[in-house]
Amino acid sequence: MSLVIAISIDYSLFLLTRYREEVEKGKDNYTAVSLMNEHSGHTILVSGLTLVVCFLGLMFFPVNAIASLGLAAGITVVITLITNLSFTPAALLTFGKFFYNEKYIKKLEKRLEKIKNNGKSKRVKESNKNVKKKFGWVSVTKFSQKYAIPIILIILVIAVPISINIMKMELSLENKYLLPRNTQTWDAYAILEEDFDAGQLLPYYLIIQTNETNGIRNPTFFDKSQNIIANLSLKTELTNKSITGISWMNGQVIPWIYASILLNPSSSDSNSILYKQMWTNYVTSDNSSALFEIITPFDPQGEEALDWVKLTREILQDFEEKFGYEIYLAGGAIFWIDSLEVITNLFPYMILTVILIVYVLIVIMFGSFFIPLRLLITIGLTLSWIFGLAVLVFEQNVLDWLFPNVLNGVNSLYWIVPIITFSIVLGLGLDYDIFLLSRISEYRKKGYSDRSAIIKGVEKTGSIITSAGIIMAIAFSGLLISSEMILNQIGFILCISVLVDTFFIRTILVPAIMSLAQKWNWWLKKMHKVTKDEIE
């Protein structure tokens, strides 16, 4: 929902501000709408397609929770594009008298006519220009161009020390990041964590399959399963009492002879009823497979669990080869641990694929090999800056004093947060950059010099990008007041990244880099001959 609100308002802003600009130039309603579609429509189409690519990149991962999110976000952007490229211009044309105010146009034409004449109106115009140059986007861009190298160095000096904290990023699988604070669920979880064995929160299970009917109703299986359990207790952090099953209970082996007595329908042993119930719960109906419950002495979702699962699987693999059984580890945090491992392995490939596709799309749009490279570098700076800041806040506790009730006990990022936010931050960064570059490219094609095109491009889009960024931050800020830490972390990363990208990267750093690159911005494309070098 936050994405729908943010993207819809952004694209509407891009379209309607261009429509208003053309109307103020004296264009009739039809021409204004046509020019709006030709320029801003084309821009949001390319921007939307790059966003779709970024979100569909999440479908790289064989984890439904992430893949379905990527698909849903991609569909959301497509629907938003279709709506803005069809309904918006149709509404402007159908209800032209409402949107295209003729009285306003006549007043505007009279004002433009006065500006052409000498006298007071000219002095007013010059005065307005001076104010605009002094306080507006023109002066900001001129400043960025004049002090391009110092600005780049200052931003790097600020960003790099924060960005390097990414190397310290810790990912957590703990349930507390998903639970709403100050609820019965939260309180119950805290009681379980404090007063009971940590592993009781999420028991693990050992599954041994013989693939033979009655394959476990014999002394051989009991001896082998006890051998497996003894080795796990010896070589891992488990204790003798950590595992419960048909051949092992309370740290003691259950011999097959005793088990067969307990299973005898005529048994008079006092433990017979309980053991038969256990057999029913822990054994398949054909007696081919058995289940053993594991209560870990450590947090089943903590950092220790990751190392324990890896070691345990190595031990079980050896016994599979030795005994010919199929042995599995299930339950606990296995699903999330396996998901994290798969995602960690695939994430670099996903990033590379998305970057290549985006690079090609930008090359096709602008005909330049340098622009998409510069674009990816600046977005990469934003990503590293924001994730480094997230590590400082959620791992190194730099803001715990400000939000003690929220950040208390938080010492990592939930594992899915970087995956989700990466695609969104990348997509939104591309969104604003493409909008700015489209306008700069438009002025350059009209014959303006690189310097003038950059100034005019920022002048025309600066306020829009800033407004869009603020609106986007507001749309995502709702996640900050959620009682669930996973949403707080996502909201923090998205809000801060939008604001940093809007106020520093897109409006200051990008003009500085492009002013240094000059003609290389359009390499290998041959641009129009420079015929204008003014900004008015």
Side-chain angles (χ1 to χ4, degrees), residues 421-455:
T421 53
F422 169 82
S423 294
I424 299 177
V425 173
L426 176 62
L428 296 179
L430 288 168
D431 192 34
Y432 294 145
D433 210 320
I434 290 172
F435 184 58
L436 172 60
L437 286 171
S438 297
R439 210 58 192 271
I440 294 174
S441 176
E442 181 183 335
Y443 282 114
R444 184 63 188 86
K445 290 176 181 177
K446 290 180 179 179
Y448 285 90
S449 65
D450 290 292
R451 172 182 171 276
S452 299
I454 293 169
I455 293 174

Side-chain angles (χ1 to χ4, degrees), residues 50 54 355 358 362 371-387 422-434 497 500-501 505-506 509-510 513:
T50 55
C54 292
I355 286 175
V358 168
I362 305 301
I371 281 180
L373 180 62
R374 192 278 309 151
L375 190 153
L376 292 172
I377 290 173
T378 52
I379 291 178
L381 178 64
T382 301
L383 285 164
S384 62
W385 194 344
I386 298 308
F387 283 119
F422 169 82
S423 294
I424 299 177
V425 173
L426 176 62
L428 296 179
L430 288 168
D431 192 34
Y432 294 145
D433 210 320
I434 290 172
S497 65
V500 167
D501 197 75
I505 304 300
R506 221 51 54 206
L509 182 61
V510 169
I513 295 175

Side-chain angles (χ1 to χ4, degrees), residues 363-401:
V363 168
I364 293 172
M365 180 180 183
F366 293 103
S368 166
F369 288 89
F370 176 80
I371 281 180
L373 180 62
R374 192 278 309 151
L375 190 153
L376 292 172
I377 290 173
T378 52
I379 291 178
L381 178 64
T382 301
L383 285 164
S384 62
W385 194 344
I386 298 308
F387 283 119
L389 191 60
V391 170
L392 289 175
V393 172
F394 296 106
E395 292 184 24
Q396 300 184 21
N397 310 319
V398 296
L399 292 182
D400 276 17
W401 60 274

Side-chain angles (χ1 to χ4, degrees), residues 310-494:
K310 183 178 180 181
L311 176 59
T312 299
R313 280 178 164 168
E314 291 175 356
I315 295 172
L316 296 180
Q317 186 176 3
D318 292 337
F319 279 108
E320 276 188 327
E321 297 173 358
K322 182 179 179 181
F323 294 154
Y325 292 156
E326 291 182 15
I327 308 175
Y328 301 95
L329 192 63
I334 285 293
F335 172 77
W336 303 116
I337 290 173
D338 286 348
S339 297
L340 179 59
E341 182 180 359
V342 170
I343 288 170
T344 302
N345 293 334
L346 290 178
F347 198 35
Y349 297 101
M350 174 264 197
I351 293 175
L352 182 61
T353 302
V354 169
I355 286 175
L356 287 175
I357 295 174
V358 168
Y359 187 91
V360 171
L361 284 174
I362 305 301
V363 168
I364 293 172
M365 180 180 183
F366 293 103
S368 166
F369 288 89
F370 176 80
I371 281 180
L373 180 62
R374 192 278 309 151
L375 190 153
L376 292 172
I377 290 173
T378 52
I379 291 178
L381 178 64
T382 301
L383 285 164
S384 62
W385 194 344
I386 298 308
F387 283 119
L389 191 60
V391 170
L392 289 175
V393 172
F394 296 106
E395 292 184 24
Q396 300 184 21
N397 310 319
V398 296
L399 292 182
D400 276 17
W401 60 274
L402 190 59
F403 305 103
N405 295 330
V406 176
L407 297 175
N408 183 35
V410 177
N411 52 16
S412 58
L413 290 170
Y414 192 63
W415 69 277
I416 204 173
V417 169
I419 309 299
I420 295 174
T421 53
F422 169 82
S423 294
I424 299 177
V425 173
L426 176 62
L428 296 179
L430 288 168
D431 192 34
Y432 294 145
D433 210 320
I434 290 172
F435 184 58
L436 172 60
L437 286 171
S438 297
R439 210 58 192 271
I440 294 174
S441 176
E442 181 183 335
Y443 282 114
R444 184 63 188 86
K445 290 176 181 177
K446 290 180 179 179
Y448 285 90
S449 65
D450 290 292
R451 172 182 171 276
S452 299
I454 293 169
I455 293 174
K456 290 187 73 65
V458 174
E459 179 191 9
K460 293 295 184 182
T461 62
S463 298
I464 303 169
I465 290 176
T466 302
S467 301
I470 293 173
I471 291 170
M472 189 80 73
I474 292 173
F476 289 130
S477 64
L479 300 174
L480 291 173
I481 60 176
S482 169
S483 61
E484 298 177 25
M485 180 49 61
I486 180 176
L487 298 182
N488 297 154
Q489 292 181 345
I490 292 174
F492 174 84
I493 291 173
L494 295 182

